[in-house]
Amino acid sequence: MVYFIGAGPGDPELITLKGMKIIQACDVVIYAGSLVNKEILKYAKPKAEVYDSATMNLDEIIGLIVKSHKDGKDVARIHTGDPAIYGAIHEQIVRLEKENIDYEIIPGVSSFLAAASVLKKELTIPEITQTVIITRIGGRTVVPKEQELKDLSRHGATMAIFLSVQEIDRVVSELKKGYQENTPVAVVYKATWEDQLIVKGTLNDISQKVKSKGINKTAMILVGDFLKDIKTYSKLYDKEFSHSFRKKEDL
């Protein structure tokens, strides 16, 4: 069996309990060393074979998995955040299915959620935004034309932008096509890591602030009015609001 495991954003305690237990039980651990906190490896059993996939290509990774499978060994394939978001697991899954190797995906805490937590913000505020757009800027990885930032920004929704801080000037330029220039932006470098860094600003000044901190990778860009000081609230706990689990109070 092969287990794709989301390691979470960085803090090794943010892996799921199920993910940790599977790592503890597997004979082989293959982790994305360029992004996964190596502290996660402390969960591996002492005699486990541990491989860093940062310098491996797809054929090498699959070859290692196939060999381990033939040897009767379970494999923990560890990805950063949640494997379903920019995890490049699709091509691995296709190859495993061709090899008739069973697999399971264990979700993890994505970095955009970790960034919201360290900012102490809710991404979906009633009357402000009820939509979260997860995206990235195009580059060597092609983004469909209708999904470019300039078009997505016209929705005014909360936006979580991965893998793009190295192009912060271009990101800001495209976002200004839809958002107001005073729209707040937060850039969170290595959310939940010990060297985490938070930079706050608006579309007018975030680029300069980010560059002054030397941030050019491993950062989440969050954009939207949810970052403002907001005074509107959900009806969920409003005493004048009833739902299937609670009656409204007589006032």
Side-chain angles (χ1 to χ4, degrees), residues 38-176:
K38 291 180 175 58
E39 285 292 305
I40 290 289
L41 300 177
K42 67 185 180 185
Y43 300 131
K45 57 187 180 184
K47 291 186 178 180
E49 301 170 31
V50 178
Y51 301 91
D52 180 358
S53 66
T55 59
M56 300 167 72
N57 61 38
L58 180 61
D59 286 339
E60 291 170 331
I61 293 169
I62 298 301
L64 177 57
I65 291 175
V66 170
K67 180 181 182 303
S68 300
H69 178 72
K70 288 179 178 176
D71 291 342
K73 299 174 180 176
D74 289 332
V75 176
R77 176 70 175 110
I78 306 175
H79 287 260
T80 187
D82 185 296
I85 300 178
Y86 304 116
I89 60 170
H90 171 66
E91 53 264 49
Q92 298 177 67
I93 288 172
V94 170
R95 294 282 294 271
L96 293 188
E97 290 180 348
K98 285 183 178 177
E99 298 286 346
N100 291 316
I101 296 175
D102 289 336
Y103 61 89
E104 182 177 345
I105 300 172
I106 313 301
V109 177
S110 176
S111 58
F112 82 94
L113 298 172
S117 74
V118 300
L119 290 168
K120 300 179 179 177
K121 289 291 185 180
E122 178 180 345
L123 299 173
T124 52
I125 302 293
E127 301 179 37
I128 303 297
T129 176
Q130 291 290 283
T131 303
V132 180
I133 297 173
I134 298 170
T135 189
R136 62 172 297 172
I137 200 164
R140 289 190 299 175
T141 299
V142 175
V143 172
K145 187 172 180 54
E146 63 274 18
Q147 296 176 24
E148 292 180 352
L149 288 182
K150 63 182 180 183
D151 296 310
L152 298 178
S153 67
R154 301 187 202 285
H155 294 283
T158 296
M159 193 178 294
I161 306 173
F162 285 69
L163 304 165
S164 302
V165 74
Q166 73 281 0
E167 296 263 16
I168 189 66
D169 285 338
R170 188 156 66 95
V171 168
V172 168
S173 176
E174 293 204 26
L175 292 176
K176 283 183 175 179

Side-chain angles (χ1 to χ4, degrees), residues 165 168-169 172 185-187 197-215:
V165 74
I168 189 66
D169 285 338
V172 168
V185 184
V187 173
L197 188 61
I198 297 173
V199 180
K200 296 179 182 179
T202 68
L203 285 176
N204 275 330
D205 60 14
I206 194 66
S207 182
Q208 180 182 354
K209 288 182 175 180
V210 165
K211 286 189 279 190
S212 71
K213 297 293 184 182
I215 299 173

